[in-house]
Amino acid sequence: MVETIRLLDIRETALSSDEVLAAIADPSAGGTALFIGTVRNHDHDQPVDELRYEAHPEALKHLRTVAERVCENPAVTALAAVHRTGVLAIGDAAVIVAVAAAHRDVAFAACRQLIDDLKAEVPIWKHQHFTDGTSEWVGAC
C-alpha cells in the first residue's frame, strides 16, 4: 500500500514545486491542487526587504497531525507539504503544499484545508524586516 502522505519537511534549503508535484504523482488522481506561498515585498503598507522563519523543534510533528487530518478524506490520494526556515529573500518560496485526489473539488478543498491548518497550527514563526530598519514577529506568542 502506498502512503498517502508522500512528503513532509521543514528545511533551510530552497523549496521546489517540481519535487512536491513528483511526490504526489498518482495514477488514480483526477485532480491535483498546488499552493506556493512566496515572500512578498510589503506588509501593513510597509516595504519588506527580508524574512526569517523559525520553527519549534516539534513543528514537523504538528505538520504530520495536520496532514493526517486532511488525509481522513478517502478521496485524497496523495499529499505533500514543505516549509522553509532561515532567511528568505523577496520572491522566495516559503511554503509549498499540494494534494492529489480523485476529483478536482476534493483536491482544491483539501489543499486549502492543508495550507490553512498549517498556518494556524504548526509552530513556525515569521520575523519580517522592513526597509526602514524596524522588524516584527508574526505568529509568535
Side-chain angles (χ1 to χ4, degrees), residues 35-42 51 53 88-96 126:
F35 173 80
I36 304 171
T38 55
V39 178
R40 65 181 176 266
N41 66 359
H42 68 282
L51 296 181
Y53 281 97
L88 284 75
I90 303 304
D92 285 349
V95 61
I96 303 175
K126 175 172 64 173

Side-chain angles (χ1 to χ4, degrees), residues 54-106:
E54 294 188 23
H56 186 278
E58 293 187 2
L60 192 57
K61 181 176 108 174
H62 290 273
L63 180 55
R64 178 160 292 280
T65 299
V66 166
E68 288 171 349
R69 188 169 53 241
V70 173
C71 290
E72 288 174 359
N73 183 334
V76 170
T77 60
L79 176 148
V82 290
H83 203 298
R84 189 155 169 209
T85 57
V87 176
L88 284 75
I90 303 304
D92 285 349
V95 61
I96 303 175
V97 300
V99 175
H103 302 285
R104 70 178 176 272
D105 58 341
V106 174

